PDB file of all heavy atoms in Angstrom:
ATOM      1  N   THR B 270     -51.384 156.599-159.706  1.00  0.00           N
ATOM      2  CA  THR B 270     -51.463 157.524-160.841  1.00  0.00           C
ATOM      3  C   THR B 270     -52.212 156.828-161.918  1.00  0.00           C
ATOM      4  O   THR B 270     -53.050 157.506-162.673  1.00  0.00           O
ATOM      5  CB  THR B 270     -50.101 157.963-161.344  1.00  0.00           C
ATOM      6  OG1 THR B 270     -49.309 156.807-161.414  1.00  0.00           O
ATOM      7  CG2 THR B 270     -49.493 158.857-160.322  1.00  0.00           C
ATOM      8  N   TYR B 271     -51.937 155.561-162.130  1.00  0.00           N
ATOM      9  CA  TYR B 271     -52.753 154.825-163.200  1.00  0.00           C
ATOM     10  C   TYR B 271     -54.221 154.908-162.964  1.00  0.00           C
ATOM     11  O   TYR B 271     -54.966 155.153-163.896  1.00  0.00           O
ATOM     12  CB  TYR B 271     -52.214 153.334-163.230  1.00  0.00           C
ATOM     13  CG  TYR B 271     -53.072 152.453-164.081  1.00  0.00           C
ATOM     14  CD1 TYR B 271     -52.865 152.447-165.458  1.00  0.00           C
ATOM     15  CD2 TYR B 271     -54.014 151.678-163.576  1.00  0.00           C
ATOM     16  CE1 TYR B 271     -53.613 151.592-166.272  1.00  0.00           C
ATOM     17  CE2 TYR B 271     -54.752 150.791-164.393  1.00  0.00           C
ATOM     18  CZ  TYR B 271     -54.545 150.777-165.775  1.00  0.00           C
ATOM     19  OH  TYR B 271     -55.260 149.951-166.491  1.00  0.00           O
ATOM     20  N   LEU B 273     -55.756 157.162-161.193  1.00  0.00           N
ATOM     21  CA  LEU B 273     -56.240 158.512-161.415  1.00  0.00           C
ATOM     22  C   LEU B 273     -56.547 158.695-162.804  1.00  0.00           C
ATOM     23  O   LEU B 273     -57.563 159.337-163.226  1.00  0.00           O
ATOM     24  CB  LEU B 273     -55.228 159.442-160.903  1.00  0.00           C
ATOM     25  CG  LEU B 273     -55.230 159.839-159.420  1.00  0.00           C
ATOM     26  CD1 LEU B 273     -54.086 160.822-159.063  1.00  0.00           C
ATOM     27  CD2 LEU B 273     -56.594 160.530-159.091  1.00  0.00           C
ATOM     28  N   LEU B 274     -55.545 158.302-163.655  1.00  0.00           N
ATOM     29  CA  LEU B 274     -55.780 158.522-165.102  1.00  0.00           C
ATOM     30  C   LEU B 274     -56.948 157.688-165.603  1.00  0.00           C
ATOM     31  O   LEU B 274     -57.783 158.270-166.294  1.00  0.00           O
ATOM     32  CB  LEU B 274     -54.444 158.028-165.797  1.00  0.00           C
ATOM     33  CG  LEU B 274     -54.539 157.932-167.346  1.00  0.00           C
ATOM     34  CD1 LEU B 274     -54.954 159.387-167.855  1.00  0.00           C
ATOM     35  CD2 LEU B 274     -53.174 157.562-167.945  1.00  0.00           C
ATOM     36  N   PHE B 278     -59.467 161.028-164.459  1.00  0.00           N
ATOM     37  CA  PHE B 278     -59.246 161.851-165.602  1.00  0.00           C
ATOM     38  C   PHE B 278     -59.749 161.382-166.966  1.00  0.00           C
ATOM     39  O   PHE B 278     -59.873 162.042-167.893  1.00  0.00           O
ATOM     40  CB  PHE B 278     -57.683 162.048-165.798  1.00  0.00           C
ATOM     41  CG  PHE B 278     -57.071 162.847-164.761  1.00  0.00           C
ATOM     42  CD1 PHE B 278     -56.739 162.408-163.520  1.00  0.00           C
ATOM     43  CD2 PHE B 278     -57.004 164.311-164.923  1.00  0.00           C
ATOM     44  CE1 PHE B 278     -56.188 163.185-162.525  1.00  0.00           C
ATOM     45  CE2 PHE B 278     -56.504 165.150-163.941  1.00  0.00           C
ATOM     46  CZ  PHE B 278     -56.062 164.556-162.765  1.00  0.00           C
ATOM     47  N   VAL B 285     -62.547 167.589-163.881  1.00  0.00           N
ATOM     48  CA  VAL B 285     -61.121 167.899-164.038  1.00  0.00           C
ATOM     49  C   VAL B 285     -60.965 169.450-164.278  1.00  0.00           C
ATOM     50  O   VAL B 285     -60.164 170.073-163.665  1.00  0.00           O
ATOM     51  CB  VAL B 285     -60.467 167.024-165.147  1.00  0.00           C
ATOM     52  CG1 VAL B 285     -59.117 167.523-165.369  1.00  0.00           C
ATOM     53  CG2 VAL B 285     -60.500 165.602-164.790  1.00  0.00           C
ATOM     54  N   TYR B 327     -44.945 165.557-160.388  1.00  0.00           N
ATOM     55  CA  TYR B 327     -44.885 165.967-161.839  1.00  0.00           C
ATOM     56  C   TYR B 327     -45.990 165.178-162.564  1.00  0.00           C
ATOM     57  O   TYR B 327     -46.600 165.729-163.443  1.00  0.00           O
ATOM     58  CB  TYR B 327     -43.559 165.489-162.404  1.00  0.00           C
ATOM     59  CG  TYR B 327     -42.449 166.259-161.904  1.00  0.00           C
ATOM     60  CD1 TYR B 327     -41.256 165.620-161.408  1.00  0.00           C
ATOM     61  CD2 TYR B 327     -42.330 167.682-162.000  1.00  0.00           C
ATOM     62  CE1 TYR B 327     -40.197 166.365-160.936  1.00  0.00           C
ATOM     63  CE2 TYR B 327     -41.258 168.417-161.518  1.00  0.00           C
ATOM     64  CZ  TYR B 327     -40.180 167.742-161.023  1.00  0.00           C
ATOM     65  OH  TYR B 327     -39.123 168.527-160.615  1.00  0.00           O
ATOM     66  N   VAL B 328     -46.112 163.933-162.195  1.00  0.00           N
ATOM     67  CA  VAL B 328     -47.084 163.122-162.956  1.00  0.00           C
ATOM     68  C   VAL B 328     -48.535 163.749-162.773  1.00  0.00           C
ATOM     69  O   VAL B 328     -49.292 163.894-163.797  1.00  0.00           O
ATOM     70  CB  VAL B 328     -47.145 161.660-162.409  1.00  0.00           C
ATOM     71  CG1 VAL B 328     -48.197 160.882-163.046  1.00  0.00           C
ATOM     72  CG2 VAL B 328     -45.767 161.049-162.677  1.00  0.00           C
ATOM     73  N   ILE B 329     -48.861 164.093-161.561  1.00  0.00           N
ATOM     74  CA  ILE B 329     -50.180 164.708-161.305  1.00  0.00           C
ATOM     75  C   ILE B 329     -50.283 165.986-162.201  1.00  0.00           C
ATOM     76  O   ILE B 329     -51.338 166.266-162.791  1.00  0.00           O
ATOM     77  CB  ILE B 329     -50.382 165.045-159.878  1.00  0.00           C
ATOM     78  CG1 ILE B 329     -50.187 163.743-159.036  1.00  0.00           C
ATOM     79  CG2 ILE B 329     -51.794 165.672-159.619  1.00  0.00           C
ATOM     80  CD1 ILE B 329     -51.210 162.717-159.166  1.00  0.00           C
ATOM     81  N   LEU B 330     -49.213 166.734-162.182  1.00  0.00           N
ATOM     82  CA  LEU B 330     -49.258 167.977-162.906  1.00  0.00           C
ATOM     83  C   LEU B 330     -49.521 167.731-164.377  1.00  0.00           C
ATOM     84  O   LEU B 330     -50.380 168.354-165.056  1.00  0.00           O
ATOM     85  CB  LEU B 330     -48.002 168.794-162.659  1.00  0.00           C
ATOM     86  CG  LEU B 330     -47.914 170.137-163.313  1.00  0.00           C
ATOM     87  CD1 LEU B 330     -48.904 171.063-162.590  1.00  0.00           C
ATOM     88  CD2 LEU B 330     -46.545 170.746-163.168  1.00  0.00           C
ATOM     89  N   GLY B 331     -48.790 166.741-164.882  1.00  0.00           N
ATOM     90  CA  GLY B 331     -49.042 166.401-166.302  1.00  0.00           C
ATOM     91  C   GLY B 331     -50.440 165.968-166.556  1.00  0.00           C
ATOM     92  O   GLY B 331     -51.066 166.288-167.536  1.00  0.00           O
ATOM     93  N   LEU B 332     -50.967 165.241-165.619  1.00  0.00           N
ATOM     94  CA  LEU B 332     -52.344 164.698-165.868  1.00  0.00           C
ATOM     95  C   LEU B 332     -53.390 165.845-165.892  1.00  0.00           C
ATOM     96  O   LEU B 332     -54.176 165.921-166.757  1.00  0.00           O
ATOM     97  CB  LEU B 332     -52.755 163.748-164.712  1.00  0.00           C
ATOM     98  CG  LEU B 332     -52.086 162.380-164.706  1.00  0.00           C
ATOM     99  CD1 LEU B 332     -52.534 161.552-163.539  1.00  0.00           C
ATOM    100  CD2 LEU B 332     -52.406 161.563-165.990  1.00  0.00           C
ATOM    101  N   VAL B 333     -53.148 166.782-164.968  1.00  0.00           N
ATOM    102  CA  VAL B 333     -54.211 167.813-164.814  1.00  0.00           C
ATOM    103  C   VAL B 333     -53.995 168.882-165.953  1.00  0.00           C
ATOM    104  O   VAL B 333     -54.961 169.593-166.230  1.00  0.00           O
ATOM    105  CB  VAL B 333     -54.123 168.529-163.426  1.00  0.00           C
ATOM    106  CG1 VAL B 333     -53.012 169.531-163.440  1.00  0.00           C
ATOM    107  CG2 VAL B 333     -55.452 169.141-163.091  1.00  0.00           C
ATOM    108  N   ALA B 334     -52.859 168.819-166.675  1.00  0.00           N
ATOM    109  CA  ALA B 334     -52.759 169.705-167.802  1.00  0.00           C
ATOM    110  C   ALA B 334     -53.816 169.297-168.872  1.00  0.00           C
ATOM    111  O   ALA B 334     -54.334 170.167-169.597  1.00  0.00           O
ATOM    112  CB  ALA B 334     -51.372 169.635-168.406  1.00  0.00           C
ATOM    113  N   TYR B 335     -54.047 168.055-168.947  1.00  0.00           N
ATOM    114  CA  TYR B 335     -55.121 167.524-169.807  1.00  0.00           C
ATOM    115  C   TYR B 335     -54.792 167.836-171.367  1.00  0.00           C
ATOM    116  O   TYR B 335     -55.667 168.235-172.064  1.00  0.00           O
ATOM    117  CB  TYR B 335     -56.465 168.132-169.453  1.00  0.00           C
ATOM    118  CG  TYR B 335     -57.496 167.057-169.413  1.00  0.00           C
ATOM    119  CD1 TYR B 335     -57.294 165.917-168.642  1.00  0.00           C
ATOM    120  CD2 TYR B 335     -58.673 167.152-170.146  1.00  0.00           C
ATOM    121  CE1 TYR B 335     -58.303 164.920-168.581  1.00  0.00           C
ATOM    122  CE2 TYR B 335     -59.629 166.149-170.163  1.00  0.00           C
ATOM    123  CZ  TYR B 335     -59.435 165.060-169.325  1.00  0.00           C
ATOM    124  OH  TYR B 335     -60.393 164.047-169.351  1.00  0.00           O
ATOM    125  N   THR B 336     -53.582 167.746-171.648  1.00  0.00           N
ATOM    126  CA  THR B 336     -53.144 167.812-173.062  1.00  0.00           C
ATOM    127  C   THR B 336     -52.501 166.551-173.383  1.00  0.00           C
ATOM    128  O   THR B 336     -52.073 165.773-172.434  1.00  0.00           O
ATOM    129  CB  THR B 336     -52.171 168.938-173.239  1.00  0.00           C
ATOM    130  OG1 THR B 336     -51.016 168.719-172.414  1.00  0.00           O
ATOM    131  CG2 THR B 336     -52.737 170.315-172.937  1.00  0.00           C
ATOM    132  N   GLY B 339     -49.096 166.499-171.924  1.00  0.00           N
ATOM    133  CA  GLY B 339     -49.145 166.450-170.445  1.00  0.00           C
ATOM    134  C   GLY B 339     -49.471 165.099-169.986  1.00  0.00           C
ATOM    135  O   GLY B 339     -48.722 164.399-169.210  1.00  0.00           O
ATOM    136  N   VAL B 340     -50.638 164.592-170.416  1.00  0.00           N
ATOM    137  CA  VAL B 340     -51.010 163.261-169.944  1.00  0.00           C
ATOM    138  C   VAL B 340     -50.057 162.169-170.456  1.00  0.00           C
ATOM    139  O   VAL B 340     -49.659 161.252-169.687  1.00  0.00           O
ATOM    140  CB  VAL B 340     -52.496 162.987-170.278  1.00  0.00           C
ATOM    141  CG1 VAL B 340     -52.918 161.664-169.829  1.00  0.00           C
ATOM    142  CG2 VAL B 340     -53.396 164.049-169.831  1.00  0.00           C
ATOM    143  N   ALA B 343     -46.994 162.309-168.564  1.00  0.00           N
ATOM    144  CA  ALA B 343     -47.205 161.779-167.201  1.00  0.00           C
ATOM    145  C   ALA B 343     -47.111 160.265-167.217  1.00  0.00           C
ATOM    146  O   ALA B 343     -46.571 159.630-166.360  1.00  0.00           O
ATOM    147  CB  ALA B 343     -48.529 162.271-166.612  1.00  0.00           C
ATOM    148  N   THR B 344     -47.790 159.714-168.231  1.00  0.00           N
ATOM    149  CA  THR B 344     -47.751 158.228-168.325  1.00  0.00           C
ATOM    150  C   THR B 344     -46.309 157.686-168.569  1.00  0.00           C
ATOM    151  O   THR B 344     -45.944 156.748-167.953  1.00  0.00           O
ATOM    152  CB  THR B 344     -48.719 157.797-169.465  1.00  0.00           C
ATOM    153  OG1 THR B 344     -49.936 158.466-169.408  1.00  0.00           O
ATOM    154  CG2 THR B 344     -48.919 156.286-169.402  1.00  0.00           C
ATOM    155  N   MET B 347     -44.476 157.778-165.520  1.00  0.00           N
ATOM    156  CA  MET B 347     -44.779 156.632-164.583  1.00  0.00           C
ATOM    157  C   MET B 347     -43.794 155.501-164.836  1.00  0.00           C
ATOM    158  O   MET B 347     -43.134 155.002-163.913  1.00  0.00           O
ATOM    159  CB  MET B 347     -46.175 156.130-164.886  1.00  0.00           C
ATOM    160  CG  MET B 347     -47.281 156.972-164.397  1.00  0.00           C
ATOM    161  SD  MET B 347     -48.827 156.158-164.754  1.00  0.00           S
ATOM    162  CE  MET B 347     -49.936 157.475-164.958  1.00  0.00           C
ATOM    163  N   ILE B 412     -43.874 166.616-169.923  1.00  0.00           N
ATOM    164  CA  ILE B 412     -44.889 167.025-168.917  1.00  0.00           C
ATOM    165  C   ILE B 412     -44.817 168.646-168.914  1.00  0.00           C
ATOM    166  O   ILE B 412     -45.866 169.215-169.038  1.00  0.00           O
ATOM    167  CB  ILE B 412     -44.544 166.552-167.512  1.00  0.00           C
ATOM    168  CG1 ILE B 412     -44.871 165.027-167.517  1.00  0.00           C
ATOM    169  CG2 ILE B 412     -45.317 167.330-166.483  1.00  0.00           C
ATOM    170  CD1 ILE B 412     -44.525 164.388-166.156  1.00  0.00           C
ATOM    171  N   LEU B 421     -56.748 174.030-170.522  1.00  0.00           N
ATOM    172  CA  LEU B 421     -57.717 173.691-169.432  1.00  0.00           C
ATOM    173  C   LEU B 421     -57.289 174.409-168.087  1.00  0.00           C
ATOM    174  O   LEU B 421     -58.037 174.849-167.311  1.00  0.00           O
ATOM    175  CB  LEU B 421     -57.800 172.218-169.294  1.00  0.00           C
ATOM    176  CG  LEU B 421     -58.815 171.670-168.275  1.00  0.00           C
ATOM    177  CD1 LEU B 421     -59.840 170.973-169.154  1.00  0.00           C
ATOM    178  CD2 LEU B 421     -58.174 170.702-167.256  1.00  0.00           C
ATOM    179  N   ILE B 503     -58.453 163.163-174.134  1.00  0.00           N
ATOM    180  CA  ILE B 503     -58.365 164.552-174.290  1.00  0.00           C
ATOM    181  C   ILE B 503     -59.334 165.068-175.318  1.00  0.00           C
ATOM    182  O   ILE B 503     -59.711 166.188-175.354  1.00  0.00           O
ATOM    183  CB  ILE B 503     -56.898 164.969-174.630  1.00  0.00           C
ATOM    184  CG1 ILE B 503     -55.948 164.188-173.730  1.00  0.00           C
ATOM    185  CG2 ILE B 503     -56.709 166.381-174.459  1.00  0.00           C
ATOM    186  CD1 ILE B 503     -55.999 164.503-172.304  1.00  0.00           C
TER     187      ILE B 503
END
Side-chain angles (χ1 to χ4, degrees):
Chain B
T270 47
Y271 171 79
L273 272 178
L274 174 55
F278 288 86
V285 171
Y327 293 127
V328 175
I329 305 291
L330 187 65
L332 288 177
V333 80
Y335 227 55
T336 57
V340 180
T344 313
M347 289 183 212
I412 287 175
L421 188 111
I503 316 294

